[in-house]
Amino acid sequence: GNAPGNDMRFYWERVEASRNFANKVWNASRFIQMNLPEENIDLSKKPENLTDADKWILSKVNTLAKDVTENLDKFELGIATDKIYNFIWEEFCDWYIEMVKPRLYNDNDDTKQAALWTLKKVLIDSLKLLHPYMPFVTEEIFCTIQEEEESIMISAWPEYSEENTFAKEEAAVETIKEAVRSIRNIRSEMNVAPSKKAKVFVVSEDAAVCEIFEKGNVFFATLGYASEVIIQSDKTGIEDDAVSVVIPKATIYMPFAELVDIAKEKERLAKEVTRLEKELARVNGMLSNPNFVSKAPEKKINEEKEKKVKYEQMLFAVEERINYLTYKK
């Protein structure tokens, strides 16, 4: 960071990072434009069949508009820049665009138009928020991808709307993202190539969690390198040597233990036990501290209590898995 009013040291790395970001925005915009139909998509007519992924990104850009506007009103230009950068690079490009590709490539998918509408809507809102920082690139893309407004410079600024707030869908997609990250991490640890597809089992006794993965099955399979996704409430039909990852209220199993030995899997789980025990020790330390309990806001205390329950559940599941691998015949 740099304090307002101070000179900023020149770094080529920053120039290169900015160039890479401009390329990211440009390439994402080209991808969207290539997939848009010849007839114009009217952004004033929101589709009725938006998926959880669509609502998730709409909710994210809606919150971004509110946060960035507040930051700019307070002249917090650097903070606003970081939020826009992170949203476009990570949430929009790295996650949402990858989520919707299976729908874009499937003409029989009845949610394809909803995906295209959402892509255009979120891109245009993002360009408007980015415009004060990157005026020329955003103006060029804006005038190419839409016909409703003459110039981004005189277009309407994105405004926060309760209508585009979808807390439930946000939580659902974040659950799937956590599962995808866990799958990618373990595959990376085992040096499994992305081209190697594997069957993925999602096991949870929580019906709400199962429903989340049922609704997000298509993009979860794509992002998780799954040949097939099977969602069930128990471990029926899962091979004994399946590799597992634990997320809150669910366990993910992948039957490709032939790519790694059981000893290595147990070693990985042991590290996870150590991590969870440290987190539990930290939470218990805070909750048993009279000063913290008496002075901390109630919201903060409740958050720590929720973390404790989550870590205890995850620790139990991991230890159960270790015991199974240790004593399995």
Side-chain angles (χ1 to χ4, degrees), residues 31-249:
F31 172 79
I32 294 170
Q33 187 177 4
M34 285 167 49
N35 284 278
L36 288 175
E38 292 185 6
E39 63 274 12
N40 185 47
I41 293 180
D42 188 352
L43 293 182
S44 65
K45 298 178 181 178
K46 181 189 291 187
E48 296 181 358
N49 59 339
L50 294 172
T51 67
D52 282 2
D54 301 331
K55 292 179 179 179
W56 165 74
I57 198 67
L58 287 170
S59 191
K60 285 285 188 180
V61 77
N62 188 41
T63 302
L64 178 70
K66 180 178 70 172
D67 291 347
V68 168
T69 301
E70 291 176 356
N71 292 140
L72 293 179
D73 287 343
K74 297 176 183 177
F75 299 99
E76 297 170 340
L77 307 184
I79 296 175
T81 309
D82 288 342
K83 289 178 179 178
I84 298 168
Y85 178 96
N86 291 333
F87 171 80
I88 293 176
W89 191 294
E90 296 178 14
E91 307 287 13
F92 187 50
C93 294
D94 287 356
W95 281 103
Y96 182 69
I97 289 179
E98 295 303 316
M99 288 178 187
V100 300
K101 281 182 178 178
R103 294 159 63 192
L104 299 182
Y105 301 151
N106 183 4
D107 291 335
N108 296 322
D109 192 323
D110 58 4
T111 66
K112 179 177 179 178
Q113 284 301 115
L116 290 169
W117 183 92
T118 305
L119 283 167
K120 183 178 178 181
K121 164 70 174 171
V122 176
L123 174 61
I124 288 176
D125 282 357
S126 300
L127 291 173
K128 290 179 178 180
L129 295 172
L130 182 61
H131 179 67
Y133 302 96
M134 290 175 55
F136 304 111
V137 172
T138 52
E139 173 75 4
E140 176 67 23
I141 297 171
F142 182 83
C143 292
T144 302
I145 208 162
Q146 59 83 52
E147 302 172 354
E148 291 83 0
E149 297 177 282
E150 181 181 354
S151 168
I152 197 171
M153 291 183 287
I154 54 176
S155 65
W157 182 257
E159 294 183 358
Y160 176 80
S161 168
E162 288 292 340
E163 181 185 349
N164 286 325
T165 299
F166 304 101
K168 180 181 177 182
E169 288 77 5
E170 272 198 57
V173 173
E174 291 300 330
T175 297
I176 294 180
K177 283 174 62 182
E178 184 168 356
V180 169
R181 279 192 289 262
S182 298
I183 290 172
R184 289 178 175 178
N185 287 341
I186 193 171
R187 288 175 64 106
S188 176
E189 289 176 14
M190 297 186 294
N191 296 316
V192 180
S195 58
K196 176 69 175 178
K197 307 296 181 183
K199 189 180 293 184
V200 173
F201 291 86
V202 179
V203 177
S204 176
E205 296 179 353
D206 191 317
V209 173
C210 291
E211 183 182 2
I212 287 172
F213 283 92
E214 289 283 2
K215 293 172 72 174
N217 192 315
V218 174
F219 73 80
F220 174 58
T222 301
L223 299 179
Y225 312 121
S227 58
E228 181 183 4
V229 177
I230 300 173
I231 302 153
Q232 55 194 52
S233 59
D234 55 39
K235 295 189 285 186
T236 302
I238 299 176
E239 298 176 14
D240 292 345
D241 59 355
V243 176
S244 61
V245 290
V246 177
I247 64 172
K249 298 184 180 180

